[in-house]
Amino acid sequence: MHAELMFHETRFPLGRILLQHSFKMTSKTETTCKIFSFQDYKSCPDPTFDIPVECLHPSPAPIVIDNGSYQTRAGWACRDDTLGSPRLLFKSVAARSRGAARSETQIGNDISNLEPMRWLLKSQFDRNVVVNFEIQELMFDYIFSHLGVSTEGSVEHPIVLTEAPCNPLHSRQMMSELLFECYRVPNVSYGVDSLYSFYYNNRTHTTPHTGIVLSSGYHCSHVLPVISGRLDAVNCKRVNVGGNQAASYLQRLLQLKYPGHLAAVTLSRMEELLHEHSYTATDYQQEMEKWRSAEFYELEVHRMQLPVSAKVHGGVVSAEERQERRTQQLRRLQEINARRREEKLQQDQERLEKLLAVQELLEDGYLEQFHKNLVELNMDSAQELQSYINKLGVVVEQGRQRLLQSSEMEQPIDEGDGVNEMDPDFSEEIAETDKLSNIAQFNMAEYHQLFVGTERLRVSEILFQPSLIGEDQMGLMETLQFVLASRYTPEQQEALCQNVFLTGGNMQYPGMKERIERELLAMRPFQSHFKVTMASRPAVDSWYGAREWALENSPNGEGWISRQEYEEKGGEYLKEHCASNFFVPVKIAKPVLRPGETPLLPVTTMAAMPTSVSASPPAVATAPTQT
């Protein structure tokens, strides 16, 4: 069925334009074309702010950092309304040439155009987990310097930092070591970004929250159950599909559809298409059926105009220009024909000389060599050889005469000159030239348009059907159904479905909430109740939630890790709060001593709850506990 759906979109550009013009002429109702231009956003360098007085007195205000895999957001947790939004928003990428100094690294908004430097870009993330702490340190330097933190050798402000659900111990240990040892911060608090968003949008409730959070970010999506105000980390699940996979899939689709515009179909433009032109179908199959209609296609297709140079953007070509162009083409064809005649004459002369050399063998009496060469030439007798020499001599003489005549006088250019001796390829080229010349009204701007049709809904569908991009795992709603049906009682399922919360930048497609509601209606039992709510600002509510939490909890209270606790309990230590990961201390088994070895003191460390793995049919498993 997909092959049929692509009928209107896989034509060659010229044929597609002619088809559209004929459709408009025969249509009873004139339709309006939706033509859009790529904005090609350029980022501007972030200014360096001064620390507001409110953030220093009576005590240093916490710095809130939403460390996202696509975008980093940073700001102050102050009561002042002017500081109620993030002061820094930049992409979580760094660019540094090989061998360049550390000071020459470009971070986030310092890179005005990502595409020329795409091969140099590095991120601190592997999927949604921080693994490259050299890049993470550069990100912290960028944040602290642009926020105006100028204290020598340390950062005197507490830090609120987001982390991935079920973050591995090693990642948290290295992050704590970086913050406490390198920046010497007084306190640190870790929390899950989607849980901060969940509590920010439910902060008016007085009772502990129970619900299920569906979050989708740049690299992966999560199903996070919350029971009585705390994350049920054992039953968290991850789906390895997000905005990055959607952008790559859209780029692949359009590059296959428009092989002539490969360089213009960049990843940055695909992200722009995702943010501004894509949507989620409530019923995917039914929506794809609508796109089979030519009328629906003309109404809903988005034509993206690519940049066109001024030379190509001209318009109608004059008759004089067409005649001059045709004259130049004929002159070029005459030169090619003359060069071919010279090459053919040289080949004939060489063959004639070879045949004369064989004939000399007969005249000199070398019969054995003569008959041997005659067999190689595929000839039967000396008479046949002599006949061939006579014919070839006539051809060579005619060729010489023609070359002499063309060199003595310049022949006038005639459209019929050399037509009989032309190769078929040249006649086809002239016919194609005539065909293109006749289309006087052809507009090159239309050739540089991308028709984005079914791609608008196909890219967001990978969240529900990862098999579209070759991922062997369950979709988001199948994973939710698995978590509800296999891990909770009917009463708990009813309570969780009363508060299904959607957050994350990849949940901002139009129609996403309606699609989730339709899937839940098909999934839940008859006459059961559920409620789906979308975050007020799905992409940035995690930062606002972390800010509200920091304002409600002083740095010496619940959820804050002090420097003394870090030194006593290690970098893996986590103080729990309403938006944090779950924490379980695990005692490491004492190693078996060999004869003669001195026994070591018992070591106790902490382990977070197990990281969940992506759900895949037919069963979903959870990784073993980390130590």
Side-chain angles (χ1 to χ4, degrees):
M1 184 182 69
H2 291 292
E4 297 177 2
L5 292 174
M6 297 297 292
F7 172 76
H8 297 286
E9 303 178 38
T10 54
R11 291 183 175 271
F12 294 103
L14 179 58
R16 183 177 61 240
I17 293 169
L18 297 176
L19 178 64
Q20 291 159 2
H21 285 309
S22 63
F23 173 78
K24 290 178 184 177
M25 293 175 61
T26 56
S27 178
K28 293 183 179 179
T29 58
E30 185 178 356
T31 58
T32 304
C33 300
K34 297 180 180 179
I35 301 178
F36 303 88
S37 297
F38 285 106
Q39 301 300 318
D40 290 335
Y41 300 108
K42 307 289 187 199
S43 59
C44 299
D46 292 314
T48 300
F49 299 96
D50 295 328
I51 301 182
V53 179
E54 297 85 352
C55 298
L56 295 174
H57 302 290
S59 60
I63 297 176
V64 180
I65 302 174
D66 182 9
N67 197 28
S69 57
Y70 176 73
Q71 188 181 59
T72 299
R73 293 162 282 271
W76 299 99
C78 289
R79 297 290 180 184
D80 192 350
D81 293 338
T82 59
L83 302 175
S85 59
R87 307 211 85 179
L88 298 175
L89 293 96
F90 59 90
K91 287 191 175 182
S92 304
V93 290
R96 179 171 59 184
S97 302
R98 182 174 297 177
R102 180 187 178 95
S103 59
E104 298 177 4
T105 304
Q106 295 178 286
I107 304 292
N109 292 333
D110 289 344
I111 311 171
S112 60
N113 188 5
L114 293 177
E115 292 308 321
M117 307 185 69
R118 180 72 66 178
W119 64 283
L120 287 174
L121 297 182
K122 294 181 180 178
S123 173
Q124 68 269 39
F125 286 92
D126 181 6
R127 293 198 181 272
N128 64 330
V129 177
V130 179
V131 295
N132 191 338
F133 287 91
E134 180 183 359
I135 302 298
Q136 184 64 63
E137 184 179 353
L138 294 174
M139 296 291 173
F140 283 146
D141 289 343
Y142 184 88
I143 292 170
F144 296 144
S145 62
H146 282 77
L147 287 180
V149 178
S150 57
T151 51
E152 189 67 28
S154 64
V155 175
E156 298 177 353
H157 298 266
I159 303 296
V160 179
L161 187 66
T162 61
E163 63 178 8
C166 303
N167 194 34
L169 287 179
H170 176 72
S171 179
R172 186 183 300 120
Q173 177 188 6
M174 297 296 293
M175 189 70 75
S176 296
E177 182 178 336
L178 179 63
L179 290 171
F180 282 112
E181 301 293 344
C182 180
Y183 296 99
R184 305 188 65 81
V185 298
N187 302 89
V188 174
S189 177
Y190 297 105
V192 180
D193 50 2
S194 50
L195 294 184
Y196 278 132
S197 178
F198 178 67
Y199 285 105
Y200 177 74
N201 286 271
N202 290 274
R203 62 187 184 278
T204 56
H205 296 180
T206 55
T207 58
H209 316 298
T210 295
I212 194 156
V213 180
L214 301 181
S215 68
S216 183
Y218 190 57
H219 283 293
C220 54
S221 305
H222 290 91
V223 177
L224 307 176
V226 178
I227 304 292
S228 299
R230 293 310 311 274
L231 174 67
D232 186 8
V234 177
N235 296 320
C236 293
K237 298 299 170 188
R238 185 181 75 191
V239 180
N240 292 325
V241 174
N244 181 42
Q245 289 78 10
S248 300
Y249 181 47
L250 180 57
Q251 183 183 36
R252 207 158 60 238
L253 289 176
L254 291 182
Q255 284 182 342
L256 287 172
K257 184 174 174 181
Y258 297 99
H261 299 309
L262 292 180
V265 183
T266 62
L267 203 58
S268 298
R269 286 175 175 167
M270 297 306 101
E271 291 176 356
E272 182 181 335
L273 285 179
L274 283 179
H275 297 159
E276 300 182 8
H277 300 276
S278 299
Y279 70 97
T280 301
T282 306
D283 188 328
Y284 181 68
Q285 296 298 334
Q286 183 179 355
E287 190 73 13
M288 292 293 281
E289 285 293 330
K290 292 180 182 179
W291 280 92
R292 300 183 66 177
S293 167
E295 292 80 3
F296 185 87
Y297 178 87
E298 287 293 331
L299 286 172
E300 297 299 329
V301 66
H302 284 197
R303 307 180 187 189
M304 305 303 301
Q305 181 66 59
L306 295 173
V308 184
S309 63
K311 293 181 180 179
V312 180
H313 194 60
V316 180
V317 181
S318 64
E320 292 79 6
E321 291 177 350
R322 290 201 303 273
Q323 182 62 31
E324 180 64 24
R325 190 179 303 171
R326 185 175 181 82
T327 303
Q328 292 177 359
Q329 289 173 347
L330 289 173
R331 183 179 290 112
R332 181 170 60 88
L333 293 177
Q334 280 187 343
E335 293 174 355
I336 294 175
N337 281 342
R339 187 165 57 250
R340 287 195 172 186
R341 291 192 195 102
E342 293 178 1
E343 294 175 355
K344 187 176 183 303
L345 178 60
Q346 185 178 359
Q347 292 175 0
D348 291 342
Q349 287 178 344
E350 292 176 355
R351 183 164 180 79
L352 181 60
E353 292 174 359
K354 183 178 180 180
L355 295 178
L356 291 174
V358 174
Q359 192 178 37
E360 287 179 2
L361 292 176
L362 178 62
E363 294 173 355
D364 295 341
Y366 298 104
L367 298 179
E368 184 177 353
Q369 295 181 8
F370 171 74
H371 288 294
K372 182 178 180 181
N373 289 328
L374 205 63
V375 171
E376 292 178 356
L377 294 173
N378 198 20
M379 295 184 183
D380 298 330
S381 62
Q383 291 79 8
E384 186 179 354
L385 176 63
Q386 184 63 43
S387 174
Y388 197 83
I389 289 174
N390 294 336
K391 293 179 182 179
L392 196 57
V394 173
V395 172
V396 170
E397 185 62 26
Q398 289 178 352
R400 288 174 181 172
Q401 293 296 332
R402 183 174 296 178
L403 286 178
L404 287 174
Q405 291 176 2
S406 62
S407 59
E408 288 176 359
M409 56 182 298
E410 182 180 357
Q411 297 179 356
I413 297 176
D414 186 9
E415 293 186 2
D417 182 47
V419 172
N420 295 330
E421 299 178 8
M422 269 189 209
D423 216 40
D425 295 337
F426 296 116
S427 59
E428 291 178 4
E429 183 177 351
I430 290 182
E432 185 67 21
T433 304
D434 294 339
K435 181 180 178 180
L436 292 178
S437 300
N438 291 332
I439 309 177
Q441 300 296 329
F442 178 70
N443 188 356
M444 287 301 294
E446 294 188 19
Y447 173 76
H448 289 80
Q449 287 180 2
L450 305 180
F451 285 58
V452 185
T454 58
E455 294 87 1
R456 295 177 55 204
L457 65 149
R458 291 170 68 185
V459 291
S460 62
E461 187 63 22
I462 66 172
L463 191 61
F464 304 95
Q465 300 184 55
S467 59
L468 293 175
I469 58 172
E471 290 286 345
D472 186 19
Q473 55 183 318
M474 290 193 292
L476 185 65
M477 298 308 296
E478 289 179 277
T479 307
L480 173 61
Q481 184 177 13
F482 171 83
V483 170
L484 291 174
S486 62
R487 303 301 176 95
Y488 296 105
T489 63
E491 293 76 14
Q492 290 176 322
Q493 295 179 31
E494 188 73 20
L496 289 170
C497 290
Q498 288 297 326
N499 190 6
V500 179
F501 180 72
L502 312 181
T503 186
N506 200 41
M507 283 287 185
Q508 298 183 99
Y509 298 110
M512 178 62 73
K513 180 181 176 182
E514 291 76 12
R515 175 64 179 273
I516 299 291
E517 289 175 342
R518 182 181 183 278
E519 296 282 349
L520 278 172
L521 184 63
M523 181 192 310
R524 298 295 298 148
F526 178 64
Q527 291 186 342
S528 61
H529 300 282
F530 59 84
K531 182 181 179 182
V532 180
T533 56
M534 177 76 75
S536 56
R537 291 161 292 190
V540 297
D541 270 359
S542 55
W543 186 90
Y544 286 97
R547 173 181 175 272
E548 288 295 323
W549 182 90
L551 291 174
E552 295 172 0
N553 297 270
S554 62
N556 295 322
E558 177 188 4
W560 292 93
I561 306 171
S562 65
R563 181 174 182 82
Q564 181 180 358
E565 290 172 326
Y566 161 75
E567 293 174 349
E568 291 178 357
K569 302 179 181 180
E572 307 93 343
Y573 179 62
L574 172 69
K575 263 194 173 180
E576 296 179 14
H577 56 86
C578 60
S580 71
N581 279 305
F582 197 64
F583 182 71
V584 175
V586 176
K587 186 174 182 179
I588 298 179
K590 186 184 297 184
V592 180
L593 296 177
R594 296 179 181 178
E597 288 185 348
T598 306
L600 301 175
L601 295 176
V603 180
T604 303
T605 186
M606 308 295 178
M609 288 304 298
T611 41
S612 57
V613 298
S614 18
S616 59
V620 180
T622 307
T625 305
Q626 304 176 17
T627 58

